[in-house]
């Protein structure tokens, strides 16, 4: 990977017009993992011009051409699979097994799923005898992606946009941009036409703002915090472009009386801690009946006690470090707020694990006796911090579950699937997982992903993800013989 300080624009690696060197820090050892360039509005403009020039031909490409290109991307990706996983571990601290089995694997699945959906998708149909409804690519798409699933989120957007016939200008997070550079190399090797995919590294206030405000970008697809999402939407409003957003979450995990606590509680704790808690749909609020609170807390404590935190390259490590010092400081602060507001610290707390004095490692932390109005029950922490809240009955549980600004995901454990379904239907969230529905199945990249309320708008994955990159045109007087 020799292109870290360059940008990929119009099918070639080019020097920035006005780049500033920026070190990417390996969070496991606080050493430099690579150096990139932070770009400027001028770099974005050059990328947008390339994407606009390519849109005319790519938007009219045949389904067969797009299917062939997606197959080529899949083959090129598979050849560099292990390298990509290692880069993800170096840039954001994901344990290597997780980078391979989940991060890198799910990214590949997005390209496979886009190809599967495209194969059978009908871009036009008749409405009666005289009106033809056509779905057309929306145009040039600006994609602003996060550091927690760095290459997965690029693929979730770009695979669907490519299948739809769009072109793209991508800004990965400057905190974890190296896997995006590898992906650009993969796309080049696969033969993506010049200008269809363009990558400009940079920060949000400069490159992100230039993308969202650019008058020749037709749509912005953003994944990140709700705070940043609001800024993107405001900037995009001047040009009335479509804005697709996947934002924050504070997902509730309702465990009902009758559920198998020995199964439900450990599963909930470990799902909360997945990716070191740096997942927007993590079940960070565990809701349990007040009569079962003591038993649940003890099971949760034992589960967290067994979690291995350490070197992401070491076998047996479940939690690596947080991605950056800024994230480490934020999580430490919010743990302190939880203690100050009176929640009971079950395990963990502030500071690094005792045997780790370097790297952005945190102690897996569980709070009990958490009230719904506490900061740790309302704000997204983005670390391995679980809040356990108690409820008196099902109506109370639903009220607590829906009582945040967010609505990305929800989880239900019940003694019967029928009971879990009934509760899930009452939760205001874009995805509901029932009785431990496994993560990483095909359905994860086939089912729509997105949120209610301040968790965003629009959907990614499957047919719904493809259609988010399409416009609808009605042609009246289009008679058929």
């Amino acid at each position: 990977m020799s292109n870290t300080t360059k940008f990929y624009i119009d099918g070639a690696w080019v020097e920035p017009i006005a780049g500033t060197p920026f070190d990417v820090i390996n969070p496991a050892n606080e050493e430099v993992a690579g150096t990139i360039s932070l770009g400027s509005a001028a770099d974005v403009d050059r990328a947008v011009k390339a994407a606009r020039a390519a849109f005319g031909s790519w938007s009219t490409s045949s389904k067969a051409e797009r299917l062939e290109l997606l197959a080529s991307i899949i083959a090129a990706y598979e050849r560099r699979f292990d390298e990509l996983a290692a880069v993800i571990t170096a840039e954001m601290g994901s344990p290597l097994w997780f980078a391979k089995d989940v991060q890198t694997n799910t990214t590949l699945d997005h390209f496979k799923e886009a190809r599967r959906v495209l194969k059978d998708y009908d871009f036009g149909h008749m409405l009666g005898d005289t009106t033809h409804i056509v779905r057309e690519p929306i145009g040039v798409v600006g994609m602003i992606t996060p550091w927690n699933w760095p290459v997965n989120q690029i693929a979730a957007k770009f695979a669907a946009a490519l299948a739809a016939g769009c072109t793209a200008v991508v800004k990965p997070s400057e905190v974890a941009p190296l896997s995006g550079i590898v992906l650009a190399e993969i796309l080049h090797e696969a033969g993506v036409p010049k200008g269809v995919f363009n990558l400009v590294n940079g920060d949000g206030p400069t490159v992100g703002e230039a993308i969202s405000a650019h008058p020749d970008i037709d749509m912005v697809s953003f994944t990140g915090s709700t705070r940043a999402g609001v800024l993107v939407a405001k900037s995009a409003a001047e040009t009335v472009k479509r804005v697709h957003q996947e934002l924050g979450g504070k997902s509730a995990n309702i465990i009902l009386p009758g559920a198998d606590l020995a199964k439900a509680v450990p599963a909930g704790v470990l799902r909360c801690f997945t990716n070191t808690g740096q997942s927007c749909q993590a079940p960070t609020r565990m809701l349990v009946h007040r009569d079962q609170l003591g038993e649940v807390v003890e099971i949760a404590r034992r589960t967290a006690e067994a979690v291995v935190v350490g070197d992401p390259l070491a076998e047996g490590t479940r939690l690596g470090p947080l991605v950056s010092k800024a994230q480490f400081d934020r999580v430490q602060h919010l743990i302190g707020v939880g203690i100050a507001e009176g929640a009971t610290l079950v395990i963990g707390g502030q500071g690094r694990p005792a045997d780790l004095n370097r790297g952005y490692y945190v102690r897996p932390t569980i709070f009990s006796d958490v009230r719904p109005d506490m900061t740790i029950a309302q704000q997204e922490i983005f670390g391995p911090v679980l809040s356990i809240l108690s409820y008196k009955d099902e109506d109370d549980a639903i009220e607590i579950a829906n009582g945040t600004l967010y609505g990305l995901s929800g989880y239900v454990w019940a003694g019967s699937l029928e009971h879990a379904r009934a509760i899930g239907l009452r939760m205001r969230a874009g995805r509901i997982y029932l009785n431990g529905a496994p993560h990483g199945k095909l359905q994860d990249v086939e089912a729509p992903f997105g949120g209610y309320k301040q968790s965003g708008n629009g959907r990614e994955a499957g047919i719904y993800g493809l259609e988010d990159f399409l416009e609808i045109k009605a042609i009246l007087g289009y008679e058929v013989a």
Side-chain angles (χ1 to χ4, degrees), residues 291-460:
D291 291 344
Q292 295 181 308
L293 178 61
E295 184 179 1
V296 166
V297 167
E298 180 55 26
I299 297 172
R301 184 193 63 76
R302 291 199 304 267
T303 303
E305 205 169 41
V307 170
V308 177
V309 183
D311 182 354
L313 297 176
E315 188 174 348
T317 295
R318 186 165 189 101
L319 297 190
L322 293 175
V323 72
S324 66
K325 184 179 187 303
Q327 189 61 20
F328 176 86
D329 290 344
R330 171 181 165 77
V331 172
Q332 295 299 312
H333 169 71
L334 287 170
I335 291 173
V337 170
I339 294 169
E341 290 185 353
T344 299
L345 184 62
V346 175
I347 192 171
Q350 292 177 305
R352 291 182 174 91
D355 57 339
L356 296 168
N357 57 15
R358 192 181 189 195
Y360 306 126
Y361 296 96
V362 296
R363 302 165 69 188
T365 297
I366 297 176
F367 285 102
S368 183
D369 302 311
V370 178
R371 299 189 312 273
D373 63 338
M374 285 182 173
T375 301
I376 58 172
Q378 291 292 324
Q379 287 192 20
E380 186 175 45
I381 298 173
F382 236 53
V385 181
L386 174 66
S387 295
I388 301 179
L389 299 86
S390 62
Y391 62 85
K392 61 183 179 182
D393 54 34
E394 288 183 6
D395 289 340
D396 189 34
I398 294 296
E399 183 177 353
I400 294 170
N402 292 336
T404 74
L405 296 173
Y406 301 109
L408 190 57
S409 296
Y411 301 73
V412 185
W413 285 82
S416 71
L417 186 56
E418 182 180 13
H419 194 185
R421 288 172 182 157
I423 296 299
L425 286 171
R426 298 176 65 188
M427 299 177 77
R428 298 280 296 166
R431 264 196 185 187
I432 305 295
Y433 293 85
L434 304 181
N435 281 356
H439 183 72
K441 294 286 187 179
L442 171 62
Q443 289 76 13
D444 274 4
V445 291
E446 187 175 6
F449 181 63
Y452 289 23
K453 300 187 286 184
Q454 291 190 25
S455 285
N457 51 69
R459 293 295 181 269
E460 291 180 341

Side-chain angles (χ1 to χ4, degrees), residues 2-283:
S2 59
N3 298 305
T4 58
T5 60
K6 298 178 181 179
F7 301 148
Y8 186 74
I9 298 175
D10 205 22
W13 291 98
V14 300
E15 295 291 343
I17 294 173
T20 302
F22 182 84
D23 288 338
V24 179
I25 302 301
N26 183 328
N29 55 27
E30 301 181 48
E31 296 176 357
V32 176
T35 300
I36 63 166
S37 297
L38 299 181
S40 64
D43 294 299
V44 171
D45 191 57
R46 179 165 57 162
V48 173
K49 286 176 179 175
R52 178 57 61 193
F55 179 69
S57 58
W58 184 248
S59 64
T60 57
S61 61
S62 68
K63 181 184 288 189
E65 288 174 301
R66 299 179 199 177
L67 289 170
E68 183 180 359
L69 181 57
L70 282 163
S72 180
I73 291 170
I74 291 165
Y77 186 100
E78 288 174 336
R79 289 192 290 271
R80 298 186 68 176
F81 187 97
D82 288 344
E83 176 192 354
L84 192 52
V87 170
I88 292 170
T89 295
E91 69 184 352
M92 57 83 59
S94 175
L96 185 57
W97 69 266
F98 188 81
K100 285 184 177 180
D101 295 351
V102 185
Q103 293 254 15
T104 311
N105 218 20
T106 306
T107 303
L108 178 60
D109 284 342
H110 285 302
F111 288 107
K112 291 180 176 179
E113 175 63 11
R115 192 171 189 274
R116 185 195 69 79
V117 170
L118 176 62
K119 185 177 180 181
D120 299 319
Y121 191 76
D122 188 354
F123 287 88
H125 68 275
M126 290 301 297
L127 187 64
D129 295 329
T130 63
T131 301
H132 190 210
I133 305 299
V134 181
R135 292 183 184 269
E136 299 179 333
I138 194 168
V140 177
V141 182
M143 301 176 180
I144 304 172
T145 59
W147 47 257
N148 59 323
W149 293 81
V151 72
N152 176 80
Q153 284 307 114
I154 297 176
K157 300 175 190 302
F158 180 67
L162 183 76
C166 297
T167 59
V169 176
V170 177
K171 187 202 89 68
S173 167
E174 70 276 20
V175 176
L178 303 178
S179 57
I181 292 170
V182 175
L183 180 62
E185 294 175 349
I186 290 169
L187 297 175
H188 182 82
E189 179 185 337
V192 172
K194 68 177 187 176
V196 171
F197 178 91
N198 304 275
L199 183 144
V200 178
N201 280 311
D203 60 21
T206 305
V207 172
E209 163 69 16
I211 287 174
S212 56
H214 201 288
D216 215 19
I217 285 181
D218 302 291
M219 171 181 173
V220 175
S221 182
F222 172 81
T223 299
S225 70
T226 297
R227 178 197 60 79
V230 169
L231 295 176
V232 167
K234 287 181 177 179
S235 179
E238 288 289 335
T239 49
V240 199
K241 57 172 59 76
R242 183 182 298 178
V243 178
H244 165 271
Q245 297 181 320
E246 190 269 288
L247 307 175
K250 194 67 183 176
S251 300
N253 180 11
I254 300 176
I255 300 179
L256 297 164
D260 183 350
L261 296 184
K263 184 177 181 181
V265 176
V269 172
L270 296 178
R271 189 71 180 267
C272 174
F273 291 172
T274 295
N275 206 33
T276 317
Q278 299 169 127
S279 292
C280 47
Q281 65 167 339

